């Protein structure tokens, strides 16, 4: 016959991508739901601890957390390298090699974490005049050791895409913090918080190890350790610079404006942590998929569609979360934390600025996958210097913590523009990159104008009713975006398909 019917059936590529999308959405739902349960618990933990510690104690604890975070860098980036090497080894069909890297990392981290704990313990004698703060820092030195082990287990589970188990571990950790750290704050102030965090983290590590059936062997294979350090050390340096960049505002407020102001600013810190959560969960889920693709093909373009989809979802969904956070925190402060009211202005500014850091997550996936992190070290260093200079100028100009938030938001925007552009140019042309920047900017301006307008004009005598009306207005503002996501990606249909089995029973 002249025209034969096609027997090719559905495109295998389309079927594969649909299954991949469904898998990612399902894992993200499971992982995010568990994390949001943890965040819900953590939210009340944070409120209770702020109430027990007060602005001054909250300021000290925020600074101790910054100090403690540097103890994590004694791992020399091995966990970050492991997060890449395990899925790439699996993608290349070498599961035995993945296990060998796992044991080598465990052995090295035991040694390096101990060194980090000793360093923080010694440093505590030189950091604070306040005796309670010194003691809390000494206890937090033990937290360095327990955090390394806890994060190692999480890294392994993420690399192997065990997101359901990770969710259980994270919830268990938040419950332990509620049980141990909150009473510690009530009875022993910041010393009790530090002690409670040590007990919570160590307990979660042993529980997670048992649940996962993980067995570690001491194996100081210096060839593999050397490779992990070689991959991870640039990540480490970037991580140190990035941590410094993110913490500049807190450090400068503590040094130049005082602990009271830092305590007020902690409302802004809490808010951006919650803003960052869902996009971070999504990127954690897709990261091993990208690594497995790269391990199988040695080509970042194999994950181009996956990376661009992640950017699309983040830029459409995060502004809605941003608005919810702004309106929700205002309600929280009004009813529960009125002594932190002076930090709301800074919170509003910093949350909008942090939007660009959230979008930037996708560029990190690209840079780490193709091993180009070394080239970004000078830029990260310059970003730190720029942020320090801009914060200093705004503080000296008398703008207070709002000025610090604005200076930090400007730094975030510039950081995003450079870092995001460098990463994405490896998968799309400059013309498409400029169009992508314009698209992201358009959505940001749309939501910025809408949320500011709602915040300015929806004002009632009843704060609870005011917040409800503001959220309704936000939903109306976001509705066209939600419709676009559904029409283009069938996102809500796939989301419903992912969660419906948990609410329905199959009929026999």
């Amino acid at each position: 016959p002249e025209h034969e019917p096609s027997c090719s059936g559905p495109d295998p590529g389309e079927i594969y991508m649909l299954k991949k999308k469904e898998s990612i959405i399902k894992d993200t739902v499971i992982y995010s739901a568990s994390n949001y349960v943890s965040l819900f618990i953590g939210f009340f933990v944070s409120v209770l601890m702020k109430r027990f510690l007060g602005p001054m104690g909250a300021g000290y604890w925020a600074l101790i957390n910054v100090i403690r975070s540097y103890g994590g860098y004694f791992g020399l980036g091995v966990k970050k390298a492991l997060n890449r090497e395990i899925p790439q080894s699996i993608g290349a069909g070498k599961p035995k090699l993945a296990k060998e890297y796992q044991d080598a990392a465990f052995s090295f981290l035991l040694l390096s974490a101990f060194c980090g704990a000793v360093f923080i313990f010694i440093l505590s004698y030189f950091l604070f005049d306040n005796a309670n703060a010194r003691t809390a820092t000494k206890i937090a030195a033990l937290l360095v050791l327990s955090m390394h082990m806890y994060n190692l287990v999480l890294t392994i589970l993420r690399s192997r895409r065990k997101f359901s188990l990770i969710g259980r571990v994270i919830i268990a950790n938040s419950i332990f913090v509620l049980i141990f750290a909150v009473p510690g704050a009530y009875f022993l102030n910041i010393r009790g918080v530090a002690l409670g965090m040590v007990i919570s983290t160590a307990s979660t590590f042993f529980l997670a190890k048992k649940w996962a059936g993980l067995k570690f062997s001491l194996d100081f294979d210096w060839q593999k350790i050397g490779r992990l350090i070689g991959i991870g050390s640039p990540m480490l340096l970037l991580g140190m610079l990035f941590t410094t960049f993110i913490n500049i505002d807190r450090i400068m407020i503590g040094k130049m404006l005082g602990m009271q102001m830092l305590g007020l600013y902690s409302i802004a810190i809490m808010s951006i942590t919650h803003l960052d959560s869902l996009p971070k969960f999504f990127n954690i889920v897709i990261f091993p998929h990208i690594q497995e693709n790269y391990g199988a093909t040695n080509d970042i373009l194999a994950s181009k569609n996956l990376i661009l989809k992640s950017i699309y979802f983040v830029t459409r969904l995060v502004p809605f979360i941003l608005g919810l956070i702004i309106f929700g925190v205002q309600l929280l402060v009004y009813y529960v934390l009125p002594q932190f009211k002076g930090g709301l202005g800074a919170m509003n500014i910093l949350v909008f600025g942090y939007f660009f850091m959230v979008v930037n997550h996708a560029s990190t996936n690209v840079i780490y996958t193709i091993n180009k992190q070394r080239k970004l070290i000078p830029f990260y260093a310059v970003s730190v210097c720029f942020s320090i200079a801009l914060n200093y100028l705004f503080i000296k100009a008398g703008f207070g913590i709002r000025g610090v938030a604005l200076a930090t938001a400007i730094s975030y925007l510039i950081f995003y523009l450079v870092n995001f552009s460098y990463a994405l140019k490896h998968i799309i042309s400059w013309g498409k990159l400029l169009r992508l920047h314009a698209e992201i900017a358009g959505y940001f301006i749309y939501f910025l104008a809408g949320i500011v307008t709602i915040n300015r004009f929806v004002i009632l005598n009843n704060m609870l009713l005011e917040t409800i009306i503001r959220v309704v207005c936000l939903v109306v503002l976001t509705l066209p975006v939600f419709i676009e996501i559904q029409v283009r990606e069938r996102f809500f249909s796939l989301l419903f398909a992912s969660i419906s089995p948990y609410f329905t029973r199959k009929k026999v």
Side-chain angles (χ1 to χ4, degrees), residues 149-222:
M149 294 297 100
Y150 171 66
N151 286 327
L152 173 63
V153 172
L154 289 184
T155 297
I156 293 168
L157 295 178
R158 285 169 185 160
S159 301
R160 296 182 178 275
R161 292 196 272 144
K162 305 292 186 181
F163 293 105
S164 178
L165 181 53
I166 293 173
R168 290 166 56 197
V169 171
I170 292 171
I171 292 173
N173 181 249
S174 64
I175 292 172
F176 283 141
V177 171
L178 178 64
I179 293 171
F180 296 111
V182 172
Y186 181 78
F187 290 108
L188 296 172
N189 205 266
I190 53 176
R191 294 171 299 168
V193 175
L195 182 60
M197 292 299 294
V198 171
I199 296 171
S200 304
T201 310
S203 300
T204 310
F205 163 69
F206 288 110
L207 189 62
K209 184 173 173 292
K210 180 180 178 180
W211 282 348
L214 288 174
K215 294 182 179 180
F216 295 111
S217 302
L218 277 177
D219 181 14
F220 286 96
D221 184 335
W222 290 105

